[in-house]
Amino acid sequence: ARKIIIDTDPGQDDAVAILLALASPEDIDLLGITAVAGNVPLALTQKNARIVCELAGKPDTRVFAGCDAPMHRKLVTAEHVHGKTGLDGPQMDDPKMPLQAQHGVDFIIETLRSEPTGTVTLCPIGPLTNIATAFEKAPDIIPRIQEIVLMGGGYFEGGNITPVAEFNIYVDPEAAKIVFDSGVPLVVMPLDVTHKALTTKARIDAFRAMGTKVGDMVAAWTDFFERFDMEKYGSEGAPLHDPCTIAYLIDPTLFTGRHINVEIETESELTLGMTVADWWRVTDRAPNALFIGDLDAEGFYALLADRLKRL
Ligand code: BDR
Ligand code: CA
């Protein structure tokens, strides 16, 4: 099983990503979860991460609180998508499992220093603040990372928080730039692919038909989360962004993309946080990312249903 750290700002789609990882121990060894401010403030994201671990029946999972604000900017949140709690939809109880005392950034640093080089993958599915802060604090960890598989950016699809910027990159563009320029092998799940992973009614019904608490919660979350995108874009369902990263780790054959150069815009007010992706290779800038463009959506939802059933 591949050793990973999930860095997250739950978020209904983050929650499904965490559940998929916890349901897949033969593929994924989840060393810990680091929460970051993003969809909602840190006090809620760290709490939501624990709610999800308890729901999965895995209260021993280590959850850490990381950075409560972007590196150089004020936090922008997304209650308009995820609701006031970040996990609006079903009724939820407060978690009983503890939050770890260590700061999330220090956990990332300590883990990368103590595990053998090239054996730990980072899976960021929120703004990249914790990861970039760890890189600034401890540059020695950078060459020790096996891979970073992240959700963020968009190119042909445009943006979802500005016309050209995707939320995770936009919230902390300086952090994103540090990560994209770091030289660590990157796999990027942009909106171009996540907008093809739509929660149709049939797919939500399949979660509910599991007849488990997890199935009911996931159905209620995806029902809630769906509303915004369907109303706004008229799509047949909401994009289930973040689980694409975990699905890729379990079965990369579900996805296709290109090794290309991707740069982050950090200066222009108009295009702040844009992922400038050289999809057609029109520059000679060296590739720094596997930029995913397509997925087998049926296969992706089949994997999700199959794994989540186990919890
Ligand atoms: C990303 O932003 C968040 O709202 C989602 O959880 C996802 O990580 C999509 O742009
Ligand atoms: Ca997220």
Side-chain angles (χ1 to χ4, degrees), residues 9 13-14 39 78 82 125 151 160 166-168 191 241-242:
D9 62 337
D13 60 325
D14 301 74
N39 287 324
H82 302 274
I125 52 178
M151 190 280 140
N160 61 359
E166 179 279 329
F167 180 79
N168 290 343
L191 297 177
H241 310 281
D242 293 338

Side-chain angles (χ1 to χ4, degrees), residues 174-231:
E174 284 78 17
K177 185 170 171 52
I178 289 172
V179 171
F180 277 74
D181 291 350
S182 68
V184 177
L186 300 179
V187 178
V188 177
M189 293 292 165
L191 297 177
D192 303 273
V193 63
T194 67
H195 280 188
K196 294 173 182 155
L198 296 176
T199 56
T200 58
K201 185 170 181 306
R203 289 166 180 167
I204 295 177
D205 287 346
F207 292 136
R208 205 168 274 120
M210 285 176 194
T212 63
K213 188 161 182 213
V214 168
D216 288 347
M217 293 288 270
V218 169
W221 278 331
T222 46
D223 249 343
F224 178 89
F225 179 60
E226 192 167 9
R227 230 180 291 157
F228 173 75
D229 287 271
M230 290 180 74
E231 283 165 12

Side-chain angles (χ1 to χ4, degrees), residues 73-88:
R73 294 174 191 272
K74 272 183 70 180
L75 178 65
V76 175
T77 52
E79 284 88 356
H80 60 294
V81 181
H82 302 274
K84 228 171 143 40
T85 65
L87 283 183
D88 275 20

